[in-house]
Amino acid sequence: MPETSLIQDKTKETVDCTKYNETLIAMQLKDKNLRNAAFSLIVDLYSRKIYSHIRNMVLSHEDADDLVQETFIKAWSNIDKFRGDSKISTWLYRIAINETLTFLRKNRNNTISLSGREAEVADMIAGDCHFNGDRAEALFREAISRLPNKQRLAFNMRYFEEMPYEEMSSILNTSVGALKASYHIAVKKIEQYISEKN
Amino acid sequence: MNLEDYKREGGFIVPEGYFDKLDSDIKRATCHKSVEPEKNKTVFKGLMRYAAMIAIVFAAAAGIIYNYADNPAALLTNGSSVAEMSNALEDNEYIENMLAEYPIDEYTFYCYMTDSDNY
């Protein structure tokens, strides 16, 4: 089956961003007649970002697929609770993070992330049909999977998603300084782990 | 080694056309799902929540005092009770109840419960 990299699909986001008006969409979400169309636009714009974010946390495509759908369904169900105090993306990321951490907690006995079976991560990823990286990249993922959840979140958001610290701060409700420290520590841990393995 | 060598994609791929299918799946799912009506939050409900929290804390303290009234030193020396408390923290049902009772969001709570010391 032909496959697509996550990077290639980001081009669509860039195009859609130019037509996107955060305030207008937030207003349309309040209107029962317009909210369907507004939510469709949100799905078009953010599904890739939310998927990538979740995939970096849970690693498996199948799990990420389930969780991204759960995230948007939960967002839709609770759309009346969105007051527009934060950005729509911030709100979606918070839901996605809650869903992901809940998933990781519930599956701690049979998933790789919290079970203490981190040493098997590289082998598992290398054997995944939805992974086309080499052994070094699998080891890189393994090193990330060993980080505590908060450091892993900070690292993924900064490194893979290139998110500004200010945006991360509003999503994670943590100071910019703490996030910078977290990212720095995460990088050091990853570098040390990979050096030891090599 | 340099982390920039690995760069952003990290080797993850998705089936071709996956995102188009994902978008349509989400839209189909939400189309048939109704929006939950917003619950009116009242000051009274908020106060009741805090009252319930205080009652739980007092009940727990009363339980500890009652159990160890005869031998207060056992509270500090009895290793099994500490172990039981630790096990209780791991129990999913306990965590769910805590989430239901305390006025903090799930994310903050999970961060606190999982790796606050490592952050």
Side-chain angles (χ1 to χ4, degrees), chain A residues 1-7 9 35 39-40 43-44 47-48 51 55-56 59 61 65 68-69 72-73 76-80 83 97-98 101-102 105 108 130-133 136-137 140-141 148-151 153 159-160 162 172 174 178-179 182 187 190-191 194, chain B residues 1-27 29-39 41 89-93 95-96 99 105-119:
Chain A
M1 182 189 295
E3 292 183 311
T4 313
S5 76
L6 297 180
I7 292 289
D9 273 293
R35 65 171 41 148
F39 194 77
S40 289
V43 172
D44 287 339
S47 61
R48 289 153 189 78
Y51 170 87
R55 178 87 186 267
N56 285 328
L59 305 180
H61 166 69
D65 182 37
V68 73
Q69 293 195 43
F72 278 100
I73 289 169
W76 172 255
S77 301
N78 293 283
I79 210 149
D80 275 343
R83 300 185 178 283
I97 289 168
N98 274 334
L101 293 182
T102 303
R105 181 177 59 82
R108 68 172 66 187
H130 296 116
F131 179 78
N132 69 352
E137 283 170 325
F140 178 45
R141 290 287 180 181
N149 281 344
K150 255 194 166 179
Q151 281 176 17
L153 276 170
Y159 184 83
F160 291 115
E162 299 178 315
L172 298 173
T174 307
L179 288 170
S182 244
V187 169
I190 292 166
E191 287 175 346
I194 293 175
Chain B
M1 64 146 296
N2 186 356
L3 289 190
E4 295 302 310
D5 295 342
Y6 296 96
K7 239 352 189 180
R8 314 298 171 189
E9 190 176 348
F12 283 159
I13 51 176
V14 294
E16 192 167 295
Y18 166 71
F19 286 116
D20 292 332
K21 182 178 176 299
L22 174 68
D23 290 355
S24 60
D25 284 349
I26 292 169
K27 287 170 191 173
T30 54
C31 177
H32 297 297
K33 191 166 179 65
S34 58
V35 173
E36 290 176 11
E38 189 178 18
K39 293 173 186 171
K41 289 181 181 174
L89 281 173
E90 293 294 319
D91 186 67
N92 286 347
E93 193 175 304
I95 291 171
E96 294 297 343
L99 276 173
D105 64 272
E106 288 189 3
Y107 173 70
T108 308
F109 184 79
Y110 288 136
C111 287
Y112 174 73
M113 293 296 288
T114 52
D115 56 12
S116 58
D117 290 337
N118 294 315
Y119 186 66

Side-chain angles (χ1 to χ4, degrees), chain A residues 78-171:
Chain A
N78 293 283
I79 210 149
D80 275 343
K81 293 174 188 165
F82 177 68
R83 300 185 178 283
D85 298 335
S86 61
K87 287 167 67 178
I88 292 168
S89 59
T90 302
W91 178 59
L92 282 174
Y93 266 102
R94 283 177 182 161
I95 296 171
I97 289 168
N98 274 334
E99 289 292 310
T100 305
L101 293 182
T102 303
F103 170 84
L104 291 173
R105 181 177 59 82
K106 285 181 178 169
N107 292 275
R108 68 172 66 187
N109 293 327
N110 53 16
T111 60
I112 49 178
S113 49
L114 292 173
S115 65
R117 290 163 47 218
E118 292 90 349
E120 300 170 21
V121 171
D123 291 335
M124 186 212 76
I125 293 172
D128 189 340
C129 64
H130 296 116
F131 179 78
N132 69 352
D134 55 19
R135 179 71 194 174
E137 283 170 325
L139 189 62
F140 178 45
R141 290 287 180 181
E142 181 177 298
I144 297 170
S145 75
R146 295 175 63 84
L147 297 171
N149 281 344
K150 255 194 166 179
Q151 281 176 17
R152 187 145 52 121
L153 276 170
F155 181 82
N156 287 342
M157 292 166 97
R158 184 68 187 163
Y159 184 83
F160 291 115
E161 301 165 40
E162 299 178 315
M163 190 180 284
Y165 280 114
E166 288 72 20
E167 192 175 346
M168 289 166 64
S169 173
S170 61
I171 292 169

